[in-house]
Amino acid sequence: MGVHLCAAWAHAGYDVTMCSRTKEKAQTIVDALLSGGGYTEKPQGALASQGSISVPPCPADGWKLRAGTNADAADAELIVLGTMYEQAWSLLEAIAPQVRGRGKTILDMTNPFLKRPDGYGAGLPKDGPQAGILIHKGKLGDPSTKWVGAYKSVLWTLILPTGPKNPVRRPR
């Protein structure tokens, strides 16, 4: 989810840091995208709708896209949980001390779902909230954080850097 969103937002003119567990992994993806060659990654045994990353070739001149680690996400004004639901809390928990009390905005794209052939999906929680955003908000427990749920009804593989470039215009 995150690779697709980073490419689409960079194409739209936003300043984007793609974060991963290691900067080297993020840098490999960023280099491929900035070369204009796109990026494709299909986890072993995954079906197209189950984790395949496929950003098509696209001119990337002028993109403000760089690589970082998950720890770098704590410095961002907007933090995007753009990974599988099962992985999102451990990533957020690791940066929680740097996030709490700082008035960050977190965009949560995750949701628990039924078990899939690739091993993801533990099913909906039996007790408590069943939406990823409510679960993560409760676990973070920070009233200064603003939460946004988005991209829940759009298949994330369809989020692409398409259309004419539209540089972000900031108010003066």
Side-chain angles (χ1 to χ4, degrees):
M1 296 181 282
V3 173
H4 282 253
L5 193 60
C6 285
W9 283 4
H11 184 76
Y14 289 95
D15 191 349
V16 178
T17 302
M18 179 179 297
C19 298
S20 185
R21 284 174 207 63
T22 68
K23 187 172 181 177
E24 294 76 24
K25 179 180 178 187
Q27 192 65 58
T28 298
I29 299 168
V30 166
D31 290 345
L33 291 171
L34 291 178
S35 76
Y39 182 78
T40 300
E41 178 183 317
K42 183 176 180 183
Q44 189 174 8
L47 301 173
S49 64
Q50 296 179 334
S52 295
I53 300 167
S54 185
V55 177
C58 172
D61 51 298
W63 284 17
K64 297 177 209 154
L65 178 63
R66 66 187 159 285
T69 65
N70 289 333
D72 295 323
D75 295 329
E77 184 179 327
L78 171 66
I79 299 167
V80 177
L81 297 180
T83 189
M84 300 302 251
Y85 169 78
E86 290 84 0
Q87 298 171 352
W89 173 244
S90 64
L91 300 174
L92 182 56
E93 184 179 34
I95 63 171
Q98 292 78 34
V99 171
R100 287 187 179 110
R102 295 186 59 203
K104 300 287 185 174
T105 299
I106 298 178
L107 186 155
D108 191 334
M109 298 173 65
T110 72
N111 263 330
F113 50 86
L114 302 178
K115 190 155 184 71
R116 300 186 329 199
D118 63 359
Y120 283 103
L124 299 175
K126 291 181 179 30
D127 316 5
Q130 295 187 339
I133 190 171
L134 297 176
I135 294 165
H136 296 134
K137 180 179 180 180
K139 286 182 175 185
L140 186 64
D142 177 29
S144 78
T145 298
K146 298 164 212 67
W147 289 85
V148 179
Y151 302 100
K152 306 267 187 183
S153 60
V154 174
L155 183 60
W156 61 270
T157 56
L158 300 177
I159 301 170
L160 299 169
T162 58
K165 285 188 156 190
N166 187 7
V168 175
R169 291 185 174 81
R170 307 246 186 243
R172 294 181 189 233

